Amino acid sequence: METCVAVVPGSFDPVTNGHVDIIERACKLFRVVHVAVAVNAAKEPTFTRDERVEMLRLACAHLPEVTIGTFDGLLADYAVAIRAGTIIRGLRAVSDFEYELQMAHTNRCLAPDIETVFVPTRTDYSFLSSSIVKEIARLGGSVEGLVPDGVRQRLREKFEQR
Ligand code: ADP
């Protein structure tokens, strides 16, 4: 297992500035940061897999350490396959903690050599989630400062189509 490779998994539906902050901070800790977009059949995403990957590409263009991929099985299997030694998850509030701890234990059970590292969010992004920015965009509000530039346009297009 390579400890210099970390995987940052998520739905990224769409990527927000909170996600980018976590990815940037992961880049300070690891040589390769692989952002893995979950293609989860149980969740009905707003953006397609390709749209989510494309928005992440734009958002992470300034980070040479970052690679981007997608996975649709177990994260533990994917992390082993790409030889990641660490799973990175962001923590916004205590309410995130219970679920995240359960997932960390589950992944440890499935792949004992892979560590989970929690990165606390920046205070000013602690309220931010993909659902919140979609709700603002759906109701015609401004998401400036909450999502990367390319995502603002995508959100506008997505909700104008509806
Ligand atoms: P998931 O559906 O797996 O929770 P998300 O796309 O919602 O996927 O989140 C991916 C990761 O980014 C998670 O670790 C989540 O805690 C983290 N994250 C989401 N929003 C923020 C934020 N505002 N600040 C820091 N981390 C965040």
Side-chain angles (χ1 to χ4, degrees), residues 8-14 16-19 21-22 38 43 88-92 96 99-100 119-122 125-130:
V8 182
S11 310
F12 304 103
D13 186 34
T16 69
N17 285 347
H19 293 129
D21 178 50
I22 295 296
K43 272 192 187 174
I88 297 203
R89 295 286 291 176
L91 279 185
R92 282 163 292 192
D96 281 343
Y99 172 74
E100 293 296 342
V119 178
T121 181
R122 254 172 58 172
Y125 293 147
S126 61
F127 68 98
L128 195 52
S129 67
S130 299

Side-chain angles (χ1 to χ4, degrees), residues 53-148:
V53 168
E54 196 201 324
M55 286 185 279
L56 271 166
R57 282 225 169 87
L58 290 172
C60 298
H62 61 300
L63 300 168
E65 299 88 346
V66 169
T67 59
I68 297 166
T70 62
F71 71 103
D72 62 3
L74 285 170
L75 171 62
D77 290 345
Y78 184 74
V80 170
I82 63 164
R83 301 182 62 77
T86 307
I87 294 168
I88 297 203
R89 295 286 291 176
L91 279 185
R92 282 163 292 192
V94 181
S95 50
D96 281 343
F97 188 72
E98 199 169 314
Y99 172 74
E100 293 296 342
L101 192 61
Q102 186 183 21
M103 287 313 298
H105 286 312
T106 304
N107 286 325
R108 190 171 183 77
C109 176
L110 295 170
D113 291 338
I114 298 179
E115 294 293 341
T116 296
V117 169
F118 295 125
V119 178
T121 181
R122 254 172 58 172
T123 324
D124 37 350
Y125 293 147
S126 61
F127 68 98
L128 195 52
S129 67
S130 299
S131 315
I132 285 287
V133 299
K134 283 187 283 191
E135 191 62 6
I136 296 171
R138 191 177 66 80
L139 297 170
S142 167
V143 291
E144 192 168 355
L146 305 182
V147 295

